[in-house]
Amino acid sequence: MTTSHTGRTEPAGARSPYLAFTEPTGHRRTAPARLGKPSRRDPALPQGIRNGLLDDLGQQCVQVFLPTAAAADPAARALLDTEAGTALQLARALENTAYAHLFPTLIGYELDTPEPFLLYAAPRGIPASRTHVMSATDQRVFARDLTLALCLLDGQGLVPRGVSPGTVLWDGASVQLWGLEGVARAGRPRTPWGRAPYCSPEQQRGEGLVDARDAVWSAAQVLYQLVTGHPGPADRAPADLAQHRVLAGTLPGAFAPTAGARPSPAALLELLAPGEAGRAALTAAADGARPHQEAYAQALRAKRRAAPTPAEGAEEAKAHGQVLCPNCLEGIQLDLGKLFVPDERMQYQPLDLSRITNPVRREDVMRGAVQQCTADPDFPEHHIPVPYLTHGRPLTVAMIGQSNTGKSHLLTQMIAEITDGGLAPHGVGWQSVSPEQHARFVRERVQPLRSGQVLDHTSALSFRGYAHFVESLLLTDARGRVRPVAFFDLAGEDLGRTDGALRFLLGIDAFVFVVDPVVALPLPQLDEVRERVGSQVDRDGDVAFGTVLDRLPRTGPYLETPAAMVLGKSDLLRFQPPVDRWLGEGPPAALGPDHFLEESGDVHALLRQYAGPAWLRPFDAFRRCTLHTASATGGQENQGRFPAGTGPRRVLEPLLSLLAMHGIIEAPGGAASFGVGREAQ
C-alpha cells in the first residue's frame, strides 16, 4: 500500500484511491473514495473544492482542500486550520441537538500533509446568492435560522466574518451557514475580511476588536438583499428600510455604523423568535473541566497561604562578590590572569590584557574572552564567558523533560523570539554574552529550524558528566540593570543516570518542564502519532520530572525557585479545548498581576482530567509555577522536515512568566506574587 501527498492511500491493484483522515471523535478512518473535478468555491480564497463519494458507507461528501502550491503558504494553512477548528468546536457543542443542521457536518480532516483537506457531508441547499427575491414567509424563517446560527456561534465565543449570500445556503425549509474559514474569536483584534456591503464598516477597515455584532450587520445585509433583490449601502442603513414590513420592525439597529449601537445576536433573535435565544443558550455541552478548575483554584489558595522560604547558595556567593559557576556550582569572580580567547582553530589561547591599552578595544576583546574556572580543582576543565562574570548575578534556566519532548525546538524558538525583539514590549533589551557562541547557535540551530529542518535530539553528556549551557544572553531591564541569562538543554536520559547532571540542578534559578502530550494525554487524535513514533501513554508522568524534583532540597512546603510547565507540541492539540483557545492568542502587550493564571488553570485542568496527577508534580512542588501551551514548529514533521516550514506559537510566554517572577520584567503586584495570584479583595 502506498500513500499519496494528499493523504490518500492506494492498495496495490486498486483503481479508486483511499482517503485516510481523522474523524471528529479523534479516531482514524480509511475509506475508498471517488473524487470529482476540483473547482474554487471562492476566487479570493486559496481553498479548492470537489464533490466525492466515500464508498465504504456510500456517503456523499465535499472535500475542501489546499493544492500543494497553496499549502506551502502558512496563511492558507491557517485558514484551513480555522475552518477545521470551528467545525470541530461546533460538532462538539451541538452534537445530538436540534441545531446541528444549521452548520456543515464535518466527516473528517487531514491537515499535516502537503495537500491538507477537510471532508464534509454534502451541503444542504443552495447559496442565497442564487435566489433573486424570497417570499415573505421564507424571509421570516430564513432570518430566524440565520440569527439563530449567529447566536449559537456567539455562545462559543465565535464570530462569523464571512456571512454573505454566497455562504448562507437555503433549502426551502432552513438555513445552513458555511464560510467557517472566516470565523474569528470575539475580542481578538479585527483584520480586514469579507466584501462590502456584507462585512461591517469597522471590519472592512480592520479597526478595534472582533465583536459578535459584526455578524449582525452581515446578516442584515443578506436579508435586505433577499427582500429587495439588490445589495444595500456599505456604511449605513438602507434609505428604503421602512418600506419593507419584514425588515422595518427588526433590522433598523442592525445597520448602525458601529458595533456598540447594534443589537446582539440574542437580542435580534428575541425580536424574530421570542424565547428561542434562551433555548439555544441551554444547548452547550457540560463542561467536564469545571471540577478540575476548582482544584487549581484551591491549590493556588494553599500556595498563597504558605510563607516563602529564603533562597540560599547563590546569595552566599554574591555576598563575597562572586557569581555561581553554572557548571561546578562554586563561587567565581573575574580574574584577569585566567582569561583566554579562541584562535582561528577555535583553540583557547591565553589573553594578555597588559598589551591592550586602548579602552574601547580592551572592552571589545574582553567581550569575546572566557575565563577558566578553577574554583573546584577536582572538577573537569571548563570556561565561562567574561561578560557572564561582569554583570551581576546570572540567571540560569533549565529545560526539563524526557527525550523527544521537543525541548530543543522549544528552546531554539524561544531564543530566536528574544533576538527578534520579543522582550522589547516589556522594556527588556538583549545582547549576546559571547558573539562567537551566539553566531554558532544561530547558524546551527535557529536558521535550520526556521527553514523547516528537524533538529537533532539533545546530545547526551560527554564522559565529563556535567551540563553545559547552550546559549547565554545579557538582558537589560527597564531600569537599565543588566543580568546574564544562561539556558541549559539537557538530554532527558542523562537526568536519570548522571550525578554531575543532577548536581548542577542545585544552582538553577528557573525551570521549564516540557510536557509531551503524545505520552501524557490518552486522547484518540494522538493515537496515530504514538504509533508512528513508537511511544505509548504513561500515567506515571515524566521520569525526568520526578528525578529533578527528588534531587532538589526543600526546606518548606514548596520549592521557591520559579518554574513553568509547557504543554509542548500543542499544534497536535490545536483543535482540543482549551488548547484551541490559547494557542491562537497573541503575545501580551503587558503583564498584569494575574497574567497567565487563566491559561494556567485551563492547562492544569486538561492535564488533571486526562493525564492524571503524576504529570502535575512540578506544579504541586513549586510555589510559583505557571502552565502554558506552546508549539515550537506549528505542525508535524514529514521525512525529517516540516512541510510548511515552522510557525512557532506562544514559545516566549513561559520565559516571560519566569522573568516576571525574577523581577526582570516588572509586573504590578511584584515578583513574589506573580504566578500565585492575589487574594480577592
Side-chain angles (χ1 to χ4, degrees):
M1 180 178 288
T2 59
T3 303
S4 76
H5 291 299
T6 63
R8 285 175 283 176
T9 58
E10 190 169 331
R15 294 183 178 180
S16 298
Y18 275 62
L19 282 178
F21 53 89
T22 300
E23 295 180 308
T25 60
H27 295 97
R28 293 289 290 178
R29 175 181 168 189
T30 300
R34 286 179 282 173
L35 299 174
K37 293 182 179 179
S39 62
R40 297 285 290 276
R41 62 177 179 178
D42 186 331
L45 296 176
Q47 300 98 312
I49 189 169
R50 50 193 165 205
N51 295 326
L53 181 69
L54 300 179
D55 283 334
D56 57 344
L57 299 177
Q59 186 176 20
Q60 290 187 336
C61 65
V62 168
Q63 185 190 53
V64 176
F65 70 99
L66 288 176
T68 303
D73 180 6
R77 281 185 174 264
L79 284 180
L80 203 64
D81 265 19
T82 296
E83 183 170 354
T86 303
L88 283 165
Q89 184 171 344
L90 290 171
R92 287 190 295 262
L94 302 180
E95 185 180 12
N96 300 322
T97 72
Y99 303 115
H101 70 285
L102 295 172
F103 301 97
T105 300
L106 184 67
I107 297 173
Y109 58 94
E110 182 64 42
L111 299 176
D112 293 310
T113 64
E115 191 173 281
F117 65 87
L118 308 176
L119 284 179
Y120 292 106
R124 182 177 50 77
I126 61 172
S129 56
R130 299 184 191 175
T131 301
H132 181 58
V133 176
M134 185 175 284
S135 69
T137 300
D138 286 349
Q139 290 167 13
R140 294 187 182 90
V141 177
F142 184 96
R144 180 203 65 197
D145 279 6
L146 179 54
T147 309
L148 177 56
L150 304 188
C151 203
L152 292 165
L153 285 164
D154 188 25
Q156 298 293 313
L158 303 176
V159 180
R161 301 180 299 161
V163 177
S164 74
T167 60
V168 183
L169 276 57
W170 172 252
D171 66 357
S174 62
V175 156
Q176 191 174 60
L177 180 61
W178 287 66
L180 301 184
E181 72 282 344
V183 168
R185 290 194 176 273
R188 298 268 176 88
R190 285 193 184 99
T191 55
W193 183 270
R195 300 182 180 88
Y198 308 108
C199 63
S200 68
E202 59 269 73
Q203 181 178 306
Q204 188 174 4
R205 296 189 300 267
E207 298 174 351
L209 302 179
V210 174
D211 191 299
R213 293 167 290 189
D214 297 344
V216 169
W217 168 283
S218 303
Q221 287 283 6
V222 171
L223 189 59
Y224 176 81
Q225 178 163 329
L226 289 175
V227 171
T228 65
H230 60 81
D235 57 355
R236 62 189 182 279
D240 61 346
L241 201 61
Q243 301 175 17
H244 303 282
R245 186 162 55 91
V246 173
L247 306 178
T250 56
L251 293 187
F255 289 103
T258 60
R262 299 178 204 130
S264 67
L268 183 57
L269 182 58
E270 189 63 24
L271 291 175
L272 294 167
E276 191 64 51
R279 289 188 289 272
L282 299 175
T283 63
D287 185 5
R290 187 176 301 277
H292 306 287
Q293 291 275 12
E294 179 55 32
Y296 171 76
Q298 291 177 0
L300 284 190
R301 288 193 289 268
K303 291 183 177 188
R304 287 193 292 264
R305 289 193 297 266
T309 53
E312 300 177 357
E315 294 300 327
E316 296 178 6
K318 182 180 178 182
H320 294 88
Q322 300 174 326
V323 301
L324 206 64
C325 173
N327 292 320
C328 68
L329 300 182
E330 296 292 339
I332 179 176
Q333 61 187 43
L334 182 65
D335 185 341
L336 299 182
K338 298 180 180 178
L339 302 189
F340 297 82
V341 290
D343 60 18
E344 63 275 4
R345 295 177 298 172
M346 300 309 297
Q347 300 295 315
Y348 285 136
Q349 302 297 332
L351 172 62
D352 183 4
L353 286 174
S354 65
R355 301 170 58 183
I356 305 176
T357 58
N358 184 312
V360 175
R361 181 167 176 256
R362 180 186 178 97
E363 181 179 350
D364 183 64
V365 170
M366 286 186 67
R367 184 164 178 250
V370 299
Q371 176 174 322
Q372 182 177 356
C373 177
T374 58
D376 183 350
D378 296 326
F379 203 81
E381 180 180 318
H382 55 290
H383 300 80
I384 309 300
V386 168
Y388 194 84
L389 306 173
T390 58
H391 291 88
R393 178 187 168 189
L395 173 70
T396 52
V397 181
M399 310 291 289
I400 306 298
Q402 295 183 62
S403 295
N404 301 316
T405 59
K407 300 190 310 299
S408 297
H409 288 140
L410 178 61
L411 178 57
T412 299
Q413 296 286 32
M414 186 182 292
I415 295 173
E417 291 274 321
I418 295 174
T419 58
D420 280 348
L423 297 179
H426 306 280
V428 178
W430 75 277
Q431 189 178 25
S432 64
V433 168
S434 168
E436 184 276 330
Q437 178 194 49
H438 178 69
R440 184 171 64 250
F441 183 86
V442 171
R443 182 175 62 253
E444 295 179 357
R445 296 184 65 164
V446 174
Q447 292 176 349
L449 182 57
R450 284 185 163 179
S451 69
Q453 180 179 326
V454 176
L455 299 180
D456 293 334
H457 296 304
T458 303
S459 299
L461 297 179
S462 67
F463 68 92
R464 294 178 296 182
Y466 67 91
H468 298 272
F469 53 81
V470 297
E471 174 65 306
S472 53
L473 303 171
L474 297 175
L475 299 186
T476 304
D477 68 13
R479 298 187 183 185
R481 298 170 297 189
V482 180
R483 191 162 182 187
V485 179
F487 297 91
F488 289 82
D489 182 14
L490 193 67
E493 60 269 20
D494 286 317
L495 288 172
R497 72 184 185 196
T498 309
D499 188 64
L502 296 177
R503 189 181 305 115
F504 105 99
L505 296 171
L506 304 179
I508 290 295
D509 300 297
F511 292 92
V512 179
F513 294 88
V514 183
V515 176
D516 185 351
V518 177
V519 181
L521 298 171
L523 298 172
Q525 60 265 45
L526 299 175
D527 287 344
E528 183 194 20
V529 182
R530 279 187 279 269
E531 182 179 352
R532 174 160 48 83
V533 301
S535 65
Q536 58 186 2
V537 174
D538 189 344
R539 299 286 293 180
D540 295 326
D542 190 314
V543 174
F545 292 5
T547 303
V548 170
L549 296 176
D550 292 341
R551 189 67 165 83
L552 297 176
R554 187 184 308 188
T555 58
Y558 299 104
L559 294 165
E560 293 300 327
T561 308
M565 293 185 67
V566 181
L567 182 63
K569 304 179 184 177
S570 285
D571 54 279
L572 296 172
L573 298 170
R574 61 191 183 273
F575 306 127
Q576 172 74 34
V579 178
D580 57 351
R581 172 194 173 187
W582 290 109
L583 204 56
E585 288 286 334
L591 297 185
D594 298 329
H595 212 95
F596 299 127
L597 291 189
E598 188 178 358
E599 181 181 12
S600 295
D602 282 346
V603 177
H604 182 278
L606 178 69
L607 292 176
R608 191 172 186 268
Q609 182 176 3
Y610 294 105
W615 284 94
L616 288 166
R617 280 194 65 191
F619 172 80
D620 296 333
F622 290 89
R623 192 173 69 85
R624 292 180 295 162
C625 180
T626 52
L627 296 92
H628 308 261
T629 62
S631 171
T633 61
Q636 297 184 61
E637 65 177 270
N638 185 357
Q639 298 180 346
R641 293 194 60 81
F642 298 99
T646 56
R649 300 189 196 181
R650 296 184 67 79
V651 296
L652 194 55
E653 277 70 5
L655 183 62
L656 295 179
S657 178
L658 296 175
L659 295 180
M661 294 184 207
H662 274 282
I664 296 176
I665 294 176
E666 296 187 6
S673 64
F674 197 92
V676 293
R678 301 168 297 170
E679 292 289 356
Q681 302 296 320

